[in-house]
Coordinates of all heavy atoms in Angstrom, one line a residue:
I1 N 97.5 108.4 91.0 CA 96.5 107.3 91.2 C 96.7 106.7 92.6 O 95.8 106.4 93.2 CB 96.7 106.2 90.1 CG1 96.3 106.8 88.7 CG2 95.9 105.0 90.4 CD1 96.6 105.9 87.5
A2 N 98.0 106.5 93.0 CA 98.2 105.9 94.3 C 97.7 106.8 95.4 O 97.2 106.3 96.4 CB 99.7 105.7 94.5
K3 N 97.8 108.1 95.3 CA 97.3 109.0 96.3 C 95.8 108.9 96.4 O 95.2 108.9 97.5 CB 97.6 110.5 96.0 CG 99.1 110.9 96.2 CD 99.3 112.3 95.9 CE 100.7 112.7 96.1 NZ 101.0 114.1 95.8
R4 N 95.1 108.8 95.3 CA 93.7 108.6 95.3 C 93.2 107.3 95.9 O 92.3 107.3 96.7 CB 93.2 108.7 93.8 CG 91.7 108.5 93.7 CD 90.8 109.5 94.4 NE 89.4 109.2 94.3 CZ 88.8 108.5 95.2 NH1 89.4 108.0 96.3 NH2 87.5 108.3 95.1
I5 N 93.9 106.2 95.6 CA 93.6 104.9 96.1 C 93.8 104.9 97.6 O 93.0 104.4 98.4 CB 94.4 103.8 95.5 CG1 94.0 103.7 94.0 CG2 94.2 102.5 96.2 CD1 94.9 102.8 93.2
A6 N 94.9 105.6 98.1 CA 95.2 105.7 99.5 C 94.0 106.3 100.3 O 93.8 106.0 101.5 CB 96.5 106.4 99.8
K7 N 93.3 107.2 99.7 CA 92.1 107.8 100.4 C 91.0 106.8 100.7 O 90.2 107.0 101.5 CB 91.6 108.9 99.5 CG 92.5 110.1 99.4 CD 91.9 111.2 98.6 CE 92.8 112.4 98.5 NZ 92.3 113.5 97.7
E8 N 91.0 105.7 99.9 CA 90.0 104.7 100.1 C 90.3 103.7 101.3 O 89.5 102.9 101.7 CB 89.8 103.9 98.8 CG 89.3 104.7 97.7 CD 87.9 105.3 97.9 OE1 87.0 104.6 98.5 OE2 87.7 106.4 97.5
V9 N 91.6 103.7 101.7 CA 92.0 102.8 102.7 C 91.5 103.2 104.1 O 91.7 104.4 104.5 CB 93.6 102.6 102.7 CG1 94.0 101.8 103.8 CG2 94.0 102.1 101.4
K10 N 90.9 102.4 104.8 CA 90.3 102.7 106.1 C 91.0 102.0 107.3 O 91.8 101.1 107.1 CB 88.8 102.2 106.1 CG 88.0 102.7 105.0 CD 87.6 104.1 105.2 CE 86.5 104.5 104.1 NZ 86.9 105.5 103.2
D11 N 90.8 102.5 108.4 CA 91.5 102.0 109.6 C 91.1 100.5 109.8 O 90.0 100.1 109.7 CB 91.0 102.8 110.9 CG 91.7 102.4 112.1 OD1 93.0 102.4 112.1 OD2 91.1 102.2 113.2
G12 N 92.1 99.7 110.1 CA 92.0 98.3 110.3 C 92.0 97.4 109.0 O 91.9 96.2 109.1
Y13 N 92.1 98.0 107.9 CA 92.2 97.3 106.6 C 93.4 96.4 106.5 O 94.5 96.8 107.0 CB 92.1 98.2 105.4 CG 90.8 98.6 104.9 CD1 89.7 98.5 105.7 CD2 90.7 99.1 103.6 CE1 88.4 98.9 105.2 CE2 89.4 99.5 103.1 CZ 88.3 99.4 103.9 OH 87.1 99.8 103.4
Y14 N 93.3 95.3 105.8 CA 94.5 94.5 105.4 C 94.5 94.7 103.9 O 93.5 94.4 103.2 CB 94.3 93.1 105.7 CG 94.6 92.8 107.2 CD1 93.6 93.0 108.1 CD2 95.8 92.3 107.6 CE1 93.8 92.7 109.4 CE2 96.0 92.0 109.0 CZ 95.0 92.3 109.9 OH 95.2 92.0 111.2
V15 N 95.6 95.2 103.3 CA 95.6 95.6 101.9 C 96.7 94.8 101.2 O 97.9 94.9 101.6 CB 95.8 97.1 101.7 CG1 95.9 97.5 100.2 CG2 94.7 97.9 102.4
N16 N 96.4 94.1 100.1 CA 97.4 93.4 99.3 C 97.9 94.4 98.2 O 97.0 94.9 97.4 CB 96.8 92.2 98.7 CG 97.8 91.4 97.8 OD1 98.3 91.9 96.8 ND2 98.2 90.2 98.2
L17 N 99.2 94.7 98.1 CA 99.7 95.6 97.1 C 100.4 94.8 96.0 O 101.3 94.1 96.2 CB 100.7 96.5 97.7 CG 100.2 97.4 98.9 CD1 101.3 98.3 99.4 CD2 99.0 98.3 98.4
G18 N 99.8 94.9 94.8 CA 100.4 94.2 93.7 C 101.6 95.0 93.0 O 102.1 95.9 93.6
I19 N 101.9 94.6 91.8 CA 103.1 95.2 91.1 C 102.6 96.5 90.5 O 101.5 96.6 90.0 CB 103.6 94.2 90.0 CG1 104.1 92.9 90.7 CG2 104.6 94.8 89.2 CD1 104.4 91.8 89.7
G20 N 103.5 97.4 90.4 CA 103.3 98.7 89.7 C 102.8 99.8 90.6 O 103.3 99.9 91.8
I21 N 101.9 100.6 90.2 CA 101.4 101.7 90.9 C 100.9 101.3 92.3 O 101.1 102.0 93.3 CB 100.3 102.5 90.1 CG1 101.0 103.2 89.0 CG2 99.6 103.5 91.0 CD1 100.0 103.9 88.0
P22 N 100.2 100.1 92.5 CA 99.8 99.8 93.8 C 100.9 99.8 94.9 O 100.6 100.0 96.0 CB 99.2 98.4 93.6 CG 98.7 98.4 92.2 CD 99.7 99.2 91.5
T23 N 102.1 99.5 94.5 CA 103.2 99.5 95.5 C 103.4 100.9 96.1 O 104.0 101.0 97.2 CB 104.5 99.0 94.9 OG1 104.9 99.9 93.8 CG2 104.4 97.6 94.3
L24 N 102.9 101.9 95.5 CA 103.1 103.3 96.0 C 102.0 103.7 97.0 O 102.2 104.7 97.7 CB 103.1 104.3 94.8 CG 104.1 104.1 93.8 CD1 103.9 105.1 92.6 CD2 105.5 104.3 94.3
V25 N 100.9 102.9 97.1 CA 99.8 103.3 98.0 C 100.3 103.4 99.4 O 99.9 104.4 100.1 CB 98.7 102.3 97.9 CG1 97.6 102.5 98.9 CG2 98.1 102.3 96.5
A26 N 101.1 102.6 99.9 CA 101.6 102.6 101.3 C 102.2 103.9 101.7 O 102.2 104.4 102.8 CB 102.6 101.5 101.6
N27 N 102.8 104.6 100.7 CA 103.5 105.9 101.0 C 102.5 107.0 101.2 O 102.9 108.1 101.7 CB 104.4 106.3 99.8 CG 105.6 105.4 99.7 OD1 106.0 104.7 100.6 ND2 106.1 105.3 98.5
F28 N 101.2 106.8 100.9 CA 100.2 107.9 101.0 C 99.1 107.7 101.9 O 98.2 108.6 102.0 CB 99.7 108.2 99.6 CG 100.7 108.6 98.6 CD1 101.1 107.7 97.6 CD2 101.3 109.9 98.6 CE1 102.1 108.1 96.7 CE2 102.3 110.2 97.7 CZ 102.7 109.3 96.7
V29 N 99.1 106.6 102.7 CA 98.0 106.4 103.6 C 98.2 107.3 104.8 O 99.3 107.6 105.3 CB 98.1 104.9 104.1 CG1 97.1 104.6 105.2 CG2 97.7 104.0 102.9
R30 N 97.1 107.8 105.3 CA 97.1 108.7 106.5 C 97.8 108.1 107.7 O 97.8 106.9 107.9 CB 95.7 109.0 106.9 CG 94.9 109.8 105.9 CD 93.5 110.2 106.3 NE 93.0 109.6 107.6 CZ 91.9 108.9 107.7 NH1 91.2 108.6 106.6 NH2 91.5 108.4 108.9
D31 N 98.5 109.0 108.5 CA 99.2 108.5 109.6 C 98.3 108.2 110.8 O 98.8 107.5 111.7 CB 100.2 109.6 110.1 CG 101.4 109.8 109.1 OD1 101.7 108.8 108.4 OD2 101.9 110.9 109.0
D32 N 97.1 108.6 110.8 CA 96.2 108.4 112.0 C 95.4 107.2 111.9 O 94.5 107.0 112.7 CB 95.3 109.7 112.2 CG 94.4 109.9 111.0 OD1 94.7 109.5 109.9 OD2 93.3 110.4 111.2
I33 N 95.7 106.3 110.9 CA 95.0 105.0 110.9 C 96.0 103.9 110.9 O 97.1 104.0 110.6 CB 94.1 104.9 109.6 CG1 94.9 105.0 108.3 CG2 93.0 106.0 109.6 CD1 94.1 104.7 107.1
S34 N 95.5 102.7 111.3 CA 96.3 101.5 111.3 C 95.9 100.6 110.2 O 94.8 100.1 110.1 CB 96.1 100.8 112.7 OG 96.8 99.6 112.7
V35 N 96.9 100.3 109.3 CA 96.7 99.4 108.1 C 97.8 98.4 108.0 O 98.9 98.8 108.3 CB 96.6 100.3 106.8 CG1 96.4 99.4 105.6 CG2 95.6 101.4 106.9
E36 N 97.5 97.2 107.7 CA 98.5 96.2 107.5 C 98.6 95.9 106.0 O 97.6 95.7 105.3 CB 98.1 94.8 108.1 CG 98.1 94.9 109.6 CD 99.5 94.9 110.2 OE1 100.5 94.4 109.5 OE2 99.7 95.5 111.3
F37 N 99.8 96.1 105.4 CA 100.0 95.8 104.0 C 100.6 94.5 103.8 O 101.5 94.1 104.5 CB 100.9 96.9 103.4 CG 100.2 98.3 103.3 CD1 100.4 99.3 104.2 CD2 99.2 98.5 102.3 CE1 99.8 100.5 104.2 CE2 98.6 99.7 102.3 CZ 98.8 100.7 103.2
Q38 N 100.2 93.8 102.7 CA 100.9 92.6 102.3 C 101.4 92.8 100.9 O 100.7 93.3 100.0 CB 99.9 91.4 102.2 CG 100.5 90.2 101.7 CD 99.5 89.1 101.3 OE1 98.4 89.3 101.2 NE2 100.1 87.9 101.1
S39 N 102.7 92.5 100.8 CA 103.3 92.6 99.4 C 102.9 91.3 98.7 O 102.5 90.3 99.3 CB 104.8 92.7 99.5 OG 105.4 91.4 99.9
E40 N 102.9 91.4 97.4 CA 102.4 90.3 96.5 C 103.1 89.0 96.8 O 102.6 87.9 96.6 CB 102.5 90.7 95.1 CG 101.8 89.9 94.1 CD 100.2 90.0 94.2 OE1 99.7 91.0 94.7 OE2 99.6 89.0 93.8
N41 N 104.4 89.1 97.3 CA 105.2 87.9 97.5 C 105.1 87.4 98.9 O 105.9 86.5 99.3 CB 106.6 88.1 97.1 CG 107.3 89.2 97.8 OD1 106.6 90.1 98.4 ND2 108.6 89.2 97.8
G42 N 104.2 87.9 99.7 CA 103.8 87.3 101.0 C 104.2 87.9 102.3 O 104.0 87.4 103.3
I43 N 104.8 89.1 102.3 CA 105.2 89.8 103.5 C 103.9 90.5 104.1 O 103.4 91.4 103.4 CB 106.3 90.8 103.3 CG1 107.6 90.1 102.9 CG2 106.5 91.6 104.6 CD1 108.7 91.0 102.5
L44 N 103.5 90.1 105.2 CA 102.3 90.8 105.9 C 102.9 91.7 106.9 O 103.7 91.4 107.7 CB 101.4 89.8 106.6 CG 100.2 90.3 107.2 CD1 99.3 91.0 106.2 CD2 99.4 89.2 107.9
G45 N 102.6 93.0 106.8 CA 103.2 94.0 107.6 C 104.2 94.8 106.8 O 105.2 95.3 107.4
M46 N 104.0 95.0 105.6 CA 104.9 95.7 104.7 C 104.8 97.2 105.0 O 103.7 97.7 105.1 CB 104.6 95.4 103.2 CG 105.7 96.0 102.3 SD 105.2 95.8 100.6 CE 104.1 97.2 100.4
G47 N 106.0 97.9 105.1 CA 106.0 99.3 105.2 C 106.3 100.1 104.0 O 106.3 99.5 102.9
P48 N 106.6 101.4 104.0 CA 106.9 102.1 102.8 C 108.3 101.8 102.3 O 109.0 101.0 102.9 CB 106.8 103.6 103.3 CG 107.2 103.5 104.8 CD 106.6 102.2 105.2
F49 N 108.6 102.4 101.2 CA 109.9 102.2 100.6 C 111.0 102.7 101.6 O 110.7 103.7 102.2 CB 110.0 102.9 99.2 CG 109.2 102.3 98.1 CD1 108.2 103.0 97.6 CD2 109.5 101.0 97.7 CE1 107.4 102.4 96.6 CE2 108.8 100.4 96.7 CZ 107.7 101.1 96.1
P50 N 112.1 102.1 101.7 CA 113.2 102.6 102.6 C 113.8 103.8 102.1 O 113.8 104.1 100.9 CB 114.1 101.4 102.6 CG 114.0 100.7 101.3 CD 112.5 100.9 101.0
F51 N 114.5 104.6 103.0 CA 115.2 105.7 102.6 C 116.5 105.2 102.0 O 117.0 104.1 102.2 CB 115.6 106.6 103.8 CG 114.3 107.3 104.4 CD1 113.8 106.8 105.6 CD2 113.7 108.3 103.7 CE1 112.7 107.4 106.1 CE2 112.6 108.9 104.2 CZ 112.1 108.5 105.4
D52 N 117.2 106.1 101.1 CA 118.4 105.7 100.5 C 119.5 105.3 101.6 O 119.6 106.0 102.6 CB 119.0 106.9 99.7 CG 118.2 107.1 98.4 OD1 117.6 106.1 97.9 OD2 118.3 108.2 97.8
G53 N 120.1 104.2 101.4 CA 121.1 103.8 102.3 C 120.6 102.8 103.4 O 121.4 102.2 104.1
E54 N 119.3 102.7 103.5 CA 118.6 101.9 104.5 C 118.0 100.6 103.9 O 117.2 100.0 104.5 CB 117.6 102.7 105.3 CG 118.2 103.8 106.1 CD 117.2 104.6 106.9 OE1 116.0 104.2 107.0 OE2 117.6 105.6 107.5
E55 N 118.3 100.3 102.6 CA 117.7 99.2 101.9 C 118.2 97.9 102.5 O 119.3 97.8 102.9 CB 118.0 99.3 100.4 CG 117.4 100.5 99.7 CD 118.5 101.6 99.7 OE1 119.5 101.6 100.4 OE2 118.2 102.6 98.9
D56 N 117.3 96.9 102.5 CA 117.7 95.5 102.9 C 117.3 94.7 101.7 O 116.1 94.5 101.3 CB 116.9 95.1 104.1 CG 117.2 93.6 104.5 OD1 117.8 92.9 103.7 OD2 116.9 93.3 105.7
A57 N 118.3 94.2 101.0 CA 118.1 93.4 99.7 C 117.3 92.2 99.9 O 116.7 91.6 99.0 CB 119.5 93.0 99.1
D58 N 117.1 91.7 101.2 CA 116.3 90.5 101.4 C 114.8 90.9 101.6 O 114.0 90.0 101.6 CB 116.7 89.8 102.7 CG 118.1 89.2 102.6 OD1 118.4 88.7 101.4 OD2 118.8 89.2 103.5
L59 N 114.5 92.2 101.7 CA 113.1 92.6 101.8 C 112.7 93.3 100.5 O 113.0 94.4 100.2 CB 112.9 93.6 103.0 CG 113.1 93.0 104.3 CD1 112.9 94.1 105.4 CD2 112.0 91.9 104.6
I60 N 111.9 92.5 99.6 CA 111.5 93.0 98.3 C 110.0 92.8 98.1 O 109.5 91.9 98.7 CB 112.3 92.4 97.2 CG1 112.2 90.9 97.1 CG2 113.8 92.8 97.3 CD1 112.8 90.3 95.9
N61 N 109.4 93.6 97.2 CA 108.1 93.3 96.8 C 108.0 92.5 95.5 O 109.1 92.1 95.0 CB 107.3 94.6 96.7 CG 107.8 95.6 95.6 OD1 108.5 95.2 94.7 ND2 107.4 96.8 95.7
A62 N 106.9 92.3 95.0 CA 106.8 91.5 93.8 C 107.4 92.1 92.6 O 107.8 91.4 91.6 CB 105.3 91.2 93.5
G63 N 107.6 93.4 92.6 CA 108.3 94.1 91.5 C 109.8 94.2 91.8 O 110.5 94.9 91.1
K64 N 110.3 93.4 92.8 CA 111.7 93.4 93.1 C 112.3 94.7 93.6 O 113.5 95.0 93.5 CB 112.6 92.8 92.0 CG 112.2 91.4 91.7 CD 113.2 90.8 90.7 CE 113.0 89.3 90.4 NZ 111.7 88.8 90.4
Q65 N 111.4 95.6 94.2 CA 111.8 96.8 94.8 C 112.0 96.6 96.3 O 111.3 95.8 96.9 CB 110.7 97.9 94.6 CG 110.4 98.2 93.2 CD 109.1 99.0 93.0 OE1 108.1 98.6 93.5 NE2 109.2 100.2 92.4
T66 N 113.0 97.2 96.9 CA 113.2 97.1 98.3 C 112.1 97.7 99.1 O 111.6 98.8 98.6 CB 114.6 97.6 98.7 OG1 114.7 99.0 98.3 CG2 115.7 96.8 98.2
I67 N 111.7 97.1 100.2 CA 110.6 97.6 101.0 C 111.1 97.6 102.5 O 112.2 97.1 102.8 CB 109.3 96.8 100.8 CG1 109.7 95.3 101.2 CG2 108.8 96.9 99.4 CD1 108.4 94.4 101.2
T68 N 110.2 98.0 103.4 CA 110.5 97.9 104.8 C 109.4 97.0 105.4 O 108.4 96.8 104.8 CB 110.4 99.3 105.5 OG1 109.2 99.9 105.3 CG2 111.5 100.2 105.0
A69 N 109.7 96.4 106.5 CA 108.7 95.6 107.3 C 108.4 96.4 108.6 O 109.3 96.9 109.2 CB 109.3 94.2 107.6
L70 N 107.2 96.3 109.0 CA 106.8 97.0 110.2 C 106.8 96.0 111.4 O 106.7 94.8 111.2 CB 105.4 97.6 110.1 CG 105.2 98.6 108.9 CD1 103.8 99.0 108.8 CD2 106.1 99.8 109.2

């Protein structure tokens, strides 16, 4: 579902990602477009999930999953 939704995201969009499957959308957006993601708890410029060992416990989404900031 997240892959399908990511196809709808266009260059220049600001996208609010809620809890659950929406948090996965950022991982599937094309690399050739510029998109700003907001996590449900207020981070504007949210990136994809961090790689193992690169997590920052202070950067979390509404589902309490660690995220990255761009």
Side-chain angles (χ1 to χ4, degrees):
I1 293 172
K3 285 182 185 180
R4 173 63 184 93
I5 294 169
K7 291 180 181 181
E8 299 295 323
V9 176
K10 307 284 189 241
D11 189 46
Y13 272 18
Y14 286 81
V15 179
N16 179 297
L17 300 179
I19 297 173
I21 290 174
T23 62
L24 300 173
V25 173
N27 292 335
F28 299 107
V29 172
R30 298 184 347 239
D31 291 333
D32 64 331
I33 64 174
S34 177
V35 179
E36 291 289 331
F37 289 104
Q38 177 194 12
S39 73
E40 195 68 24
N41 58 341
I43 296 173
L44 185 58
M46 187 185 84
F49 291 113
F51 293 108
D52 288 338
E54 296 181 7
E55 299 92 345
D56 180 342
D58 292 326
L59 293 176
I60 59 170
N61 64 18
K64 296 191 177 30
Q65 298 167 305
T66 54
I67 57 172
T68 58
L70 302 176

